[in-house]
Amino acid sequence: RELDYRIEADNGRRFQDSLAFLGFVTTPKVIQATDRILITEWIPGRHLQDLNREEGLALTRMAVQACTASMVLTGYVHAGTCF
């Protein structure tokens, strides 16, 4: 069950919904989810090394806010399948 990607898709939506009050947490839109496959939209981005100092600090603040809110305010912590 750990790798049932239908559950993972639901967890992503739940995570986004739980932190909606922050105004900046999003997860990729799910295109298709089965027990063995999860297809999401592509979200373009940049490598962290390409951020300037101000962008890096802003990203760090947002990450700390989201992690803290997950642990302290919502109680829902989801690391996802980031491998």
Side-chain angles (χ1 to χ4, degrees):
R1 287 195 45 95
E2 175 63 25
L3 292 179
D4 184 332
Y5 289 108
R6 295 171 295 197
I7 296 170
E8 184 62 27
D10 289 338
N11 287 338
R13 285 187 283 270
R14 179 177 171 201
F15 178 76
Q16 181 173 321
D17 291 347
S18 74
L19 295 176
F21 67 93
L22 292 175
F24 57 81
V25 175
T26 62
T27 57
K29 176 184 167 193
V30 174
I31 297 169
Q32 181 180 359
T34 70
D35 61 332
R36 299 182 65 174
I37 296 171
L38 176 59
I39 302 170
T40 64
E41 69 177 328
W42 178 260
I43 298 179
R46 296 175 18 222
H47 194 280
L48 294 175
Q49 291 178 332
D50 296 335
L51 300 178
N52 65 38
R53 180 176 168 79
E54 293 77 27
E55 292 170 324
L57 288 172
L59 180 63
T60 301
R61 286 185 190 101
M62 290 169 32
V64 169
Q65 286 178 339
C67 289
T68 303
S70 290
M71 292 183 286
V72 177
L73 300 176
T74 71
Y76 185 70
V77 179
H78 181 57
T81 52
C82 303
F83 49 84

